[in-house]
Amino acid sequence: MAPKNRIIIDTDPGVDDVLAILLAFAAKAEDLEVMLISLTFGNVDVRSCLRNVVAIFHILEKELKWREEQGQPIGFEGITKYKPIVAIGADEPLQDTIESADYFHGIDGLAGTHTTHPHFSPEENWKNLFEEPPVEDDLTKKAREQTKIEDVPTQSFTPSLVPAHKEILRLLRENEPDTITLIAIGPLTNFALAASEDPETFLRCKEVVTMGGTVDGIGNVTPVAEFNVYADPYAAARVYALSSPIPSSTMPVPMEGERSVHMPTYPPKLSKQLKLTLMSLDITEHHMLSRREFNAHASSLAAKASPLAQWMTAFMTPMLDKMERLHHGHEGEGAALALHDPLCVWYVLTQEDDRWKPSSRSPEDIRIETAGQWTRGMTVGDKRSRKRRNSDGEVPHDRGNWLGNRSGNRVYRMLESPGRGVAAVYLLDTIFGPK
């Protein structure tokens, strides 16, 4: 029986990205299949992101063995009943210079654990999985065949030599329309590349669920911009434009400069509009995982030598320490990390719950600022109370056709969930099992 949800996760791991991926892998097989993990630059460079994803599989393989030895439920049907593909994608934005968040997530994206806790990192030979094999002589071939299978961590994932955006298009092309949800928890560069190469195939997806932006709140890298959008606003603008009846009405203006990739315009007539669901800071900032909640689940398991609990403690502890330094009044057990990226996976798993509610203005005309000197990456929403016009004609009081019936983007921005306090419990219970 096919799972209720089949997803592609586009990611730049990142601590909260790892939490989101673990949540997806820990879901029951009948609820979710992760078909592809596609990697992009973002929190750290794309090669560091790849190492972090390989580390997830490396740790989970150890965890599953430990659980079996302990007589505990195995779980993680996302890798025991499926074998996700892992593909490397964009290593820089479509335009302008690269931005990273290593100042927050650490130089390796996981609070430095590859250096401080090297025994949790996979052996370096994993890199060979993502490189074209060299031409072998008979002696080299024999040596390779004698390599122990456990020396190369491929049991639980399939490495791809194809660029991530091409893997996305292949999976969408080879499966029925409206059966694969695309989840973006990093910059939208890979999705923009896929949509540019073959927009009609990209529109075969069921929905794009993306973490990014802020409309009613404040930014986390500038006063108005959230990191994922800021890192490649041009890519975000192109993906958002596919939600418009007339994509050309919100397409970004190409920049001129040292870093600018030529991207073709979309055809004037597309078969459908993209369904775009946005998890912005407006909702994610209010769903927190506290030190108290994490320790309540992980501490006893770590003491029993659970590889997963020990590994997560290794990067969660310094991250929660950092949050404690940043937010006075939330010291000690009250220190907390926002569950930005896990909310996207939680939404896909529980979207039938009627407590998920978008903003009252949804679908909203939300656009991405790509050219502003101080407003790069701003997600601009129309908060005016005026109604749409019957015509798309330009008039002095509506520059940009924000009130036109046919122009503008159509974005569903989630503002309410099944509960702010529910998210962390759901995440931890799914990953570790109920306390």
Side-chain angles (χ1 to χ4, degrees):
M1 185 177 67
K4 287 197 298 185
N5 300 285
R6 307 175 81 198
I7 66 172
I8 290 171
I9 299 179
D10 193 74
T11 178
D12 60 335
V15 170
D16 55 327
D17 301 72
V18 170
L19 296 179
I21 293 168
L22 289 172
L23 175 59
F25 286 163
K28 293 187 178 299
E30 63 263 29
D31 292 331
L32 190 70
E33 176 188 0
V34 182
M35 305 180 74
L36 168 67
I37 301 289
S38 64
L39 295 162
T40 178
F41 77 96
N43 288 320
V44 286
D45 66 275
V46 73
R47 281 285 166 176
S48 294
C49 291
L50 175 61
R51 178 169 61 168
N52 292 343
V53 165
V54 174
I56 293 173
F57 289 100
H58 175 69
I59 292 296
L60 287 182
E61 287 168 9
K62 292 180 178 295
E63 176 72 7
L64 297 184
K65 183 178 179 181
W66 178 81
R67 290 186 181 187
E68 185 177 15
E69 292 171 350
Q70 298 293 312
Q72 295 187 4
I74 299 298
F76 287 98
E77 294 182 353
I79 63 169
T80 60
K81 297 191 176 181
Y82 303 112
K83 193 171 183 178
I85 301 166
V86 175
I88 305 170
D91 59 2
E92 56 188 339
L94 298 178
Q95 295 199 352
D96 212 346
T97 56
I98 191 169
E99 299 283 341
S100 74
D102 55 8
Y103 59 87
F104 183 76
H105 291 269
I107 194 65
D108 61 359
L110 290 179
T113 54
H114 290 292
T115 300
T116 60
H117 298 74
H119 57 290
F120 289 138
S121 300
E123 295 294 332
E124 288 298 298
N125 58 4
W126 64 265
K127 296 178 181 177
N128 300 331
L129 302 173
F130 296 90
E131 298 174 355
E132 291 283 359
V135 177
E136 298 177 335
D137 56 29
D138 291 340
L139 185 63
T140 305
K141 184 177 180 181
K142 184 177 181 180
R144 177 178 57 79
E145 290 172 348
Q146 291 175 345
T147 300
K148 295 179 182 179
I149 185 65
E150 60 265 26
D151 290 342
V152 183
T154 59
Q155 297 100 309
S156 52
F157 72 93
T158 301
S160 173
L161 299 179
V162 177
H165 75 278
K166 292 185 180 293
E167 283 285 13
I168 293 168
L169 290 173
R170 180 184 67 81
L171 291 171
L172 290 172
R173 195 177 291 120
E174 293 178 358
N175 289 274
E176 291 296 316
D178 301 317
T179 60
I180 299 176
T181 297
L182 305 180
I183 298 179
I185 51 178
L188 283 162
T189 315
N190 287 332
F191 285 3
L193 288 168
S196 175
E197 183 169 313
D198 190 343
E200 285 295 349
T201 295
F202 187 78
L203 289 172
R204 288 169 65 91
C205 73
K206 179 180 178 181
E207 178 181 11
V208 167
V209 180
T210 178
M211 189 278 132
T214 180
V215 176
D216 295 328
I218 59 175
N220 59 6
V221 289
T222 76
V224 296
E226 176 276 333
F227 175 79
N228 285 343
V229 178
Y230 183 84
D232 196 345
Y234 187 75
R238 288 187 64 95
V239 173
Y240 279 45
L242 287 172
S243 72
S244 171
I246 308 175
S248 60
S249 68
T250 63
M251 283 285 282
V253 177
M255 293 174 56
E256 294 183 4
E258 295 181 2
R259 174 66 191 158
S260 181
V261 175
H262 172 71
M263 301 284 282
T265 58
Y266 297 130
K269 182 70 174 177
L270 292 169
S271 61
K272 59 182 284 192
Q273 294 168 231
L274 177 69
K275 183 180 180 185
L276 181 62
T277 299
L278 178 62
M279 294 292 175
S280 64
L281 295 181
D282 303 312
I283 183 172
T284 65
E285 286 279 11
H286 303 294
H287 292 74
M288 310 294 287
L289 170 60
S290 71
R291 192 193 303 270
R292 181 183 300 105
E293 291 168 316
F294 178 76
N295 288 342
H297 277 76
S299 293
S300 61
L301 290 171
K304 295 175 184 177
S306 157
L308 179 60
Q310 291 182 341
W311 180 61
M312 291 179 66
T313 300
F315 62 76
M316 285 295 295
T317 298
M319 286 303 297
L320 288 166
D321 289 345
K322 179 172 291 188
M323 297 309 296
E324 183 175 329
R325 292 192 298 271
L326 291 173
H327 300 283
H328 297 295
H330 295 280
E331 290 82 10
E333 291 293 290
L337 182 73
L339 295 173
H340 301 296
D341 296 336
L343 250 66
C344 293
V345 177
W346 185 35
Y347 166 75
V348 171
L349 285 167
T350 63
Q351 59 191 292
E352 295 175 357
D353 191 321
D354 59 12
R355 289 176 292 178
W356 284 108
K357 288 184 172 62
S359 75
S360 59
R361 301 191 295 271
S362 290
E364 297 177 76
D365 186 356
I366 297 176
R367 308 184 191 183
I368 306 298
E369 177 57 67
T370 60
Q373 179 180 1
W374 308 116
T375 55
R376 163 182 165 156
M378 182 179 183
T379 41
V380 184
D382 189 353
K383 303 175 185 178
R384 298 173 296 179
S385 60
R386 289 179 290 170
K387 296 181 179 179
R388 289 185 177 275
R389 302 188 315 274
N390 293 324
S391 167
D392 277 325
E394 186 84 358
V395 293
H397 61 275
D398 184 31
R399 298 293 181 186
N401 276 329
W402 287 86
L403 300 176
N405 285 331
R406 295 190 302 117
S407 61
N409 296 330
R410 304 287 189 271
V411 178
Y412 293 85
R413 179 170 59 105
M414 286 293 156
L415 283 186
E416 295 182 34
S417 76
R420 295 184 180 186
V422 176
V425 175
Y426 185 98
L427 174 82
L428 295 169
D429 283 353
T430 304
I431 293 174
F432 291 121
K435 288 190 293 145

